[in-house]
Amino acid sequence: MNFSKKIAAACLSLGLMTFAIPASADDLDVLGQFLEQNFPVESDPLDAFAVMNSDNQLEAQAAYAGPLLASQSALIVNNKTGEVLFQKNSNRVMPIASISKLMSAMVLLDAHLDMNENITITEAEIDRLKGTSSRLSIGTTLPRSELLHLSLMSSENRATHALGRSYPGGMSAFVAAMNRKAQSLGMTNSRFYEPTGLDFRNVSTAVDLSKMVQAASKYPEIRRNTTSNYGSVYTKRGRQRYKNSNALVREGNWNIELQKTGYIRESGRSMVVKANVQNQPVTIVLLNSPSSLSRVNDARKIESWMLQRRS
């Protein structure tokens, strides 16, 4: 292989778009120095790099470029160092749907209310925004702690709404507290209009949500309830069984500390996860994925990508 072909092969392996063969010796020296620093070998670095097999080239490019995700916005942060491992439209303001429930839970727990107090589901809890159904029938009475469990584990909207309605000062005070909490956490691009996330005006960014996840993970009740797998309660219609809304929790293969999923039409399928992935403590934010399957597949792609980065 002549010298020019070596350079062309090296540039192609680096993923450069359009690269004319260098015209000067200085240009060749710059490229040679780059290869020596990044691909140290005893032989000619251009020759060694150009003859890398195609599989290794693709793996190297994938590890450098990051995972190919279906989610419109994404962020991966190392929780220990704060390093951003990957980001995609991470400052884009978007509807966040039921991820809002993490903020609702923090506001509720900050109030130090009696978690054993019984709260009755009323007609005020009927979803008049999206018309979604609920297995918590009107007249069902449950302790505040159980409503929080259903809200976080299974994204039960009536449970969340009842928690906000029964807050001191009522729903308006609850939502105001949500926005104050967001500002105190430095979530400058976030806004909440109600506690469930059914309102598309509940918006945030991946960067802001990573801050919310870090704050929420300091509450043992939130960690426990978001990673709980199953639950059942007695309602006016009899016993109702609930499961976690996140397939990653249900499958049990990930070491998850905290999570929350979300969906309304305007937000797409979204998810936040704080977990130990490939022996790294990370927070993953995925917003506006096309489907539940693509949302989970994005998480799995991230896991594979992190394994590539380590190897």
Side-chain angles (χ1 to χ4, degrees):
M1 180 181 293
N2 64 39
F3 197 66
S4 294
K5 288 183 178 178
K6 291 179 188 179
I7 296 173
C11 292
L12 179 61
S13 299
L14 283 169
L16 301 178
M17 296 298 292
T18 303
F19 192 91
I21 300 300
S24 70
D26 289 341
D27 292 333
L28 297 179
D29 287 342
V30 171
L31 178 58
Q33 290 170 12
F34 172 81
L35 293 175
E36 285 178 354
Q37 293 169 6
N38 291 276
F39 302 93
V41 290
E42 293 181 2
S43 59
D44 179 0
L46 283 173
D47 193 25
F49 190 77
V51 298
M52 288 173 63
N53 65 61
S54 59
D55 288 342
N56 287 342
Q57 292 173 14
L58 289 174
E59 288 178 6
Q61 291 171 18
Y64 176 78
L68 296 176
L69 305 179
S71 299
Q72 193 175 98
S73 174
L75 182 68
I76 310 171
V77 180
N78 184 300
N79 296 327
K80 185 175 292 185
T81 66
E83 178 188 2
V84 174
L85 305 180
F86 174 80
Q87 57 184 324
K88 173 184 178 182
N89 300 322
S90 60
N91 285 302
R92 180 177 293 179
V93 178
M94 305 172 69
I96 60 172
S98 285
I99 295 175
S100 304
K101 292 181 173 73
L102 288 178
M103 184 61 75
S104 299
M106 285 192 287
V107 167
L108 174 74
L109 293 169
D110 285 348
H112 302 291
L113 304 176
D114 182 2
M115 298 304 288
N116 294 316
E117 181 183 355
N118 285 327
I119 298 172
T120 300
I121 302 298
T122 70
E123 290 190 357
E125 274 67 74
I126 295 174
D127 172 19
R128 305 186 191 281
L129 283 172
K130 301 293 185 184
T132 56
S133 60
S134 171
R135 283 173 285 165
L136 282 186
S137 51
I138 306 303
T140 296
T141 298
L142 293 171
R144 184 176 275 114
S145 60
E146 195 58 64
L147 292 177
L148 180 63
H149 181 211
L150 296 181
S151 171
L152 293 175
M153 178 191 71
S154 200
S155 221
E156 172 56 74
N157 291 315
R158 286 187 181 179
T160 311
H161 192 277
L163 291 172
R165 177 180 52 79
S166 58
Y167 184 81
M171 186 62 76
S172 60
F174 190 79
V175 174
M178 291 176 69
N179 285 298
R180 284 197 304 273
K181 182 77 172 179
Q183 291 302 306
S184 73
L185 296 176
M187 298 172 63
T188 55
N189 291 307
S190 303
R191 182 69 181 172
F192 298 93
Y193 284 82
E194 50 81 46
T196 68
L198 288 169
D199 192 324
F200 71 89
R201 294 177 299 172
N202 280 18
V203 295
S204 189
T205 66
V207 169
D208 275 8
L209 291 180
S210 69
K211 297 175 183 178
M212 185 170 75
V213 167
Q214 296 306 315
S217 67
K218 296 176 182 178
Y219 297 74
E221 300 92 336
I222 298 179
R223 296 197 306 270
R224 182 173 61 251
N225 286 324
T226 60
T227 55
S228 172
N229 222 332
Y230 297 99
S232 66
V233 295
Y234 285 94
T235 73
K236 284 287 187 177
R237 297 175 183 170
R239 187 177 183 182
Q240 301 291 328
R241 292 178 174 83
Y242 289 83
K243 62 182 180 180
N244 198 293
S245 61
N246 193 328
L248 294 176
V249 174
R250 297 196 302 270
E251 292 168 0
N253 296 324
W254 277 42
N255 182 12
I256 297 175
E257 180 180 340
L258 178 149
Q259 66 77 36
K260 189 70 196 75
T261 60
Y263 172 73
I264 54 174
R265 179 180 55 81
E266 294 89 347
S267 73
R269 304 284 175 173
S270 301
M271 173 168 61
V272 295
V273 181
K274 187 178 185 184
N276 193 291
V277 181
Q278 298 299 339
N279 295 319
Q280 280 198 70
V282 295
T283 293
I284 299 171
V285 181
L286 299 170
L287 299 178
N288 197 3
S289 194
S291 67
S292 296
L293 180 59
S294 65
R295 178 176 62 190
V296 172
N297 283 343
D298 275 357
R300 290 171 178 151
K301 287 177 184 178
I302 289 170
E303 182 181 31
S304 298
W305 174 72
M306 291 183 65
L307 177 61
Q308 279 185 315
R309 291 179 81 249
R310 289 180 56 208
S311 59

